[in-house]
Amino acid sequence: MTLNLETIEQWVSPSIRGLASKTAGPPKDNQAIRLDKGELPYPPSPKVVDAITQAATTCNRYPAVLGGVLREKLAVYTGAFPEQLIISNGSDDLIELIIKVFVQPGQQVLLPVPTFFVYWHATQVMGGVPVFVQRTPDFGLDVDALVAKATPDTKVLYIANPNNPTANLVGRDTLIEVLNRVNCVVVVDECYFELCQTTIADLVVTYPNLIVLRSLSKSFGLAGLRIGYAIATPQVVDYLYRAAQLFPVNKVAIAAGIAALEDQAYVQANIQRILAEKPRLQKALVNLGFKVYPSDTNFLFVDTQPLNLQSDVLVKALQNQNIWVADFGSKPGLGDHYFRTAVGTPEENQGLLKGLEVAIAQSSSA
Ligand SMILES: Cc1ncc(COP(=O)(O)O)c(C=O)c1O
């Protein structure tokens, strides 16, 4: 039987049919200044590269089911027991896995916005319903509003801390208040932990509904390998592993993760480079006339409104110069005048600032 495409489209789950198509994204050429994905601009340490090369020679064998030695190393690094840890294919994978385990089609996921888009994308993929709750004007959490929106059908609440794209932290007391007042799984996403050194991972013992997410993508500079992990109570970890793929983390990534955790001096040196460069970039952006929000991450959240510019126009003018930042104009919870830029190398940041000068001049003469 030959079927036409319309028939096949009708077979696609309605929750998937409504999603946007993926595009290729910015070019990977060497001339591009790539600050749009919040990546570390520095390559992995030579020790990590060696470990990758070594692991490559045994790729005919499957990786360890529960992450093997990487799980033990992460236990030492975090101070958690191995049974409190699950490792996955980037923390994006865990965001989806948590919804798979706890949210049935039609049930709700509570999201203080603006926030990281993967939370609502993963919710929609699983047939769940994202419920947006506006953050406060300075992007803090409105706990009363969150509690008011929670219903018996609310199964998960995602809080990025620090938040992406707004770069700010909310305090431990606020998170404890949330944990005390909501009746669902609370995921606190600490993807930028190494840059801010603020965590509530110790509270997984007190609150069995708390899951803390971490990543080796940012401060460890391993975004391309996809290693994320969660810290939670062992029973929750067990359920997450039941639903996970048998081999969620590949062998090369496991070897690289172990080597990266062992080379803390390299990681710390890169963090110091970013922390030294961040205030310089922040000040230069303010001097250009932008409003820049305080940042507890490796990126800056920038408001273009003081220059009377729409962010999409500005971001397009940068793209024309092969400079890439992320446009946040008109994303849930935001107006049309925000962009996010990673803190790059000093040379990349200089390139961005020059590009912005050109873009501002073009927009004001248009
Ligand atoms: C808050 C937050 N969580 C998770 C991720 C994804 O991390 P990973 O690379 O581990 O999937 C990001 C990436 O930008 C992020 O900003």
Side-chain angles (χ1 to χ4, degrees):
M1 190 190 315
T2 310
L3 290 162
N4 61 23
L5 273 174
E6 277 98 74
T7 309
I8 295 168
E9 265 177 22
Q10 278 162 19
W11 293 346
V12 175
S13 304
S15 60
I16 306 295
R17 222 180 295 141
L19 299 176
S21 302
K22 286 204 174 56
T23 54
K28 305 270 184 213
D29 69 274
N30 290 337
Q31 261 65 55
I33 298 180
R34 298 278 313 275
L35 301 167
D36 55 315
K37 299 265 184 325
E39 296 150 330
L40 189 79
Y42 303 110
S45 90
K47 290 179 185 163
V48 170
V49 176
D50 280 352
I52 289 173
T53 313
Q54 287 272 323
T57 63
T58 62
C59 281
N60 53 314
R61 302 282 178 197
Y62 284 104
V65 175
L66 303 178
V69 177
L70 179 56
R71 200 182 191 206
E72 287 159 30
K73 291 277 177 195
L74 281 172
V76 175
Y77 175 67
T78 58
F81 294 109
E83 299 73 29
Q84 293 173 304
L85 294 171
I86 171 165
I87 314 170
S88 204
N89 187 32
S91 43
D92 282 351
D93 189 27
L94 284 161
I95 291 167
E96 198 173 288
L97 189 60
I98 290 165
I99 294 169
K100 208 185 254 180
V101 170
F102 289 102
V103 182
Q104 292 172 35
Q107 293 183 330
Q108 294 161 4
V109 174
L110 209 51
L111 301 176
V113 289
T115 196
F116 187 43
F117 80 98
V118 172
Y119 304 145
W120 67 83
H121 179 266
T123 302
Q124 287 166 337
V125 167
M126 297 297 162
V129 180
V131 175
F132 296 143
V133 180
Q134 188 68 40
R135 282 179 173 245
T136 59
D138 60 354
F139 303 125
L141 285 186
D142 184 341
V143 182
D144 288 339
L146 279 173
V147 172
K149 278 275 184 176
T151 73
D153 260 347
T154 305
K155 299 299 165 189
V156 179
L157 160 62
Y158 274 99
I159 301 169
N161 205 42
N163 189 35
N164 178 3
T166 56
N168 62 309
L169 272 168
V170 299
R172 185 179 174 92
D173 289 352
T174 306
L175 295 173
I176 291 176
E177 190 191 344
V178 171
L179 282 160
N180 285 333
R181 292 180 63 190
V182 298
N183 191 19
C184 65
V185 170
V186 177
V187 182
V188 175
D189 182 345
E190 298 181 354
C191 187
Y192 303 93
F193 162 67
E194 285 77 12
L195 288 139
C196 64
Q197 290 297 323
T198 300
T199 182
I200 61 161
D202 55 296
L203 293 180
V204 299
V205 180
T206 319
Y207 295 95
N209 59 329
L210 171 63
I211 302 176
V212 171
L213 290 187
R214 297 272 185 84
S215 175
L216 270 64
S217 292
K218 306 294 177 176
S219 308
F220 287 89
L222 300 181
L225 283 173
R226 317 301 302 123
I227 311 167
Y229 63 99
I231 309 171
T233 206
Q235 287 85 345
V236 168
V237 167
D238 178 48
Y239 279 115
L240 292 172
Y241 262 129
R242 290 187 201 194
Q245 288 183 19
L246 191 50
F247 307 111
V249 197
N250 72 71
K251 216 167 182 175
V252 170
I254 289 175
I258 293 166
L261 285 165
E262 284 173 349
D263 199 355
Q264 284 297 324
Y266 187 88
V267 174
Q268 287 310 318
N270 280 341
I271 291 174
Q272 291 317 314
R273 286 154 102 179
I274 295 296
L275 294 182
E277 191 58 18
K278 185 164 63 172
R280 281 202 282 269
L281 178 59
Q282 203 157 10
K283 197 163 163 227
L285 288 166
V286 170
N287 286 343
L288 285 177
F290 296 107
K291 176 175 177 179
V292 184
Y293 286 87
S295 166
D296 289 295
T297 65
N298 64 329
F299 59 80
L300 295 173
F301 191 54
V302 184
D303 184 349
T304 63
Q305 201 169 34
L307 287 167
N308 215 6
L309 290 173
Q310 272 181 231
S311 56
D312 59 345
V313 175
L314 194 76
V315 168
K316 189 87 200 104
L318 286 174
Q319 285 176 7
N320 291 340
Q321 303 170 68
N322 210 2
I323 300 169
W324 301 81
V325 298
D327 179 22
F328 275 87
S330 309
K331 291 282 179 344
L334 287 169
D336 61 3
H337 46 88
Y338 296 96
F339 72 88
R340 186 196 66 201
T341 177
V343 177
T345 62
E347 297 73 32
E348 287 171 333
N349 298 334
Q350 207 45 46
L352 169 67
L353 293 166
K354 278 210 177 114
L356 281 169
E357 276 175 31
V358 172
I360 294 167
Q362 282 171 354
S363 322
S364 38
S365 62

